[in-house]
Amino acid sequence: MEFLSFSEVIMEQNQVILNAIKYIKTFFVGESSGHDYEHSIRVYNLALRLATNEKADSFIVSLASILHDVDDRKLSPNTSSNKNNAREFLKSQNIDNETSSKVIEIIEEVSFKGKDSVVPKTIESKCVQDADRLDAIGAIGVARAFAYGGNHNRKMYDPEIPPKANQSEKEYYNNNSTTINHFYEKLLLLKDMLNTEAAKEIARKRHEYLEGFLNEFIDEWNGRK
Ligand code: ADP
Ligand code: NI
């Protein structure tokens, strides 16, 4: 077995991270449902920021955040249960089994599943889940929700269709109501589902932005503006 110096390990890890970024850049070409390359890069940057604060393992956090959507159930239904896209990438980079398992576990825990969402086991996983959730709120969150809605032929709003509270994983996945309802069914819930203090702080302003947007939207819809 070959022993590497500390700086050699860092250089190898940096190369793997660059390769992961290159991999997702190709993977997400043409994607316009809110899960694009830029989303994963924002999650990577946010997750690293949280990881620094929490003294979490930055290599694990980097790989998991960059790869977190390559087996998403909407984008890659055939690999969403076995996470084979992420697994194959990690194998191609000769990542050891222990690191690989940690990365895959984070990817499994990341998604919002209504009341069946999981609280991650490790601090690395908490950072990635928080980062993914922060990117679903604030101005970017509003933009992504309408991008997703347009991509899936959803109506923006219909006052006749009320939002459904407290959905299970199955109900959330099978729901295809309006984009405004998505705010009540997911986006407004996220601030109370965050794990780290730094993420809760960032979420405050982003959450207020969502509420301001909704008030303005409903006022304009009802002709009050
Ligand atoms: P997660 O990242 O937790 O797996 P999703 O894949 O459900 O979340 O969502 C990815 C993006 O698409 C988010 O910004 C989310 O708000 C948006 N989105 C998901 N479902 C809907 C929906 N029904 N209407 C509008 N936007 C949605
Ligand atoms: Ni995501």
Side-chain angles (χ1 to χ4, degrees):
M1 182 155 166
E2 143 190 45
F3 285 95
L4 299 177
S5 67
F6 183 69
S7 60
E8 284 169 330
V9 170
I10 298 291
M11 278 193 291
E12 274 205 6
Q13 291 185 341
N14 285 345
Q15 190 56 55
V16 172
I17 291 169
L18 286 175
N19 292 344
I21 292 174
K22 229 191 277 171
Y23 167 62
I24 63 160
K25 190 154 196 181
T26 316
F27 183 89
F28 289 116
V29 165
E31 168 50 42
S32 61
S33 71
H35 283 94
D36 47 16
Y37 164 75
E38 288 81 3
H39 160 65
S40 293
I41 295 298
R42 285 192 303 270
V43 173
Y44 166 48
N45 281 313
L46 270 169
L48 263 189
R49 200 165 130 192
L50 301 176
T52 307
N53 223 32
E54 300 291 333
K55 301 187 174 41
D57 182 321
S58 63
F59 183 56
I60 305 264
V61 167
S62 300
L63 281 180
S65 53
I66 296 167
L67 297 171
H68 83 275
D69 268 341
V70 299
D71 293 293
D72 182 89
R73 47 182 293 283
K74 300 183 214 80
L75 302 181
S76 184
N78 297 332
T79 67
S80 69
S81 58
N82 54 28
K83 311 290 176 215
N84 270 351
N85 289 337
R87 279 182 206 282
E88 272 168 32
F89 171 80
L90 294 166
K91 215 160 125 195
S92 75
Q93 303 296 305
N94 299 317
I95 302 296
D96 62 89
N97 286 343
E98 196 192 331
T99 305
S100 213
S101 308
K102 285 182 185 165
V103 171
I104 298 296
E105 182 175 77
I106 297 177
I107 298 175
E108 281 166 348
E109 291 177 335
V110 73
S111 258
F112 176 84
K113 299 174 180 145
K115 62 183 179 193
D116 295 322
S117 303
V118 298
V119 177
K121 293 190 241 344
T122 63
I123 188 62
E124 286 74 22
S125 192
K126 287 178 176 161
C127 293
V128 178
Q129 192 188 67
D130 280 2
D132 193 32
R133 289 176 173 178
L134 286 174
D135 203 56
I137 58 177
I140 296 273
V142 172
R144 289 181 70 213
F146 285 97
Y148 181 99
N151 187 281
H152 288 74
N153 298 316
R154 302 275 166 86
K155 282 177 93 167
M156 285 202 297
Y157 178 50
D158 185 341
E160 304 279 303
I161 308 173
K164 295 194 188 104
N166 222 1
Q167 296 179 92
S168 66
E169 175 177 1
K170 205 162 161 221
E171 286 165 328
Y172 174 70
Y173 285 164
N174 293 331
N175 182 359
N176 48 29
S177 82
T178 68
T179 299
I180 289 293
N181 279 354
H182 184 68
F183 283 67
Y184 295 95
E185 291 164 348
K186 174 181 174 186
L187 307 186
L188 292 170
L189 312 179
L190 293 177
K191 81 165 175 33
D192 294 324
M193 297 176 73
L194 296 168
N195 309 287
T196 66
E197 288 310 311
K200 288 177 196 168
E201 184 57 40
I202 299 171
R204 254 190 282 277
K205 195 170 147 210
R206 295 187 184 200
H207 183 85
E208 269 173 29
Y209 189 89
L210 292 184
E211 289 184 325
F213 170 81
L214 284 172
N215 287 335
E216 189 73 19
F217 184 98
I218 301 296
D219 276 351
E220 290 180 16
W221 186 278
N222 291 325
R224 285 200 288 261
K225 286 259 163 129

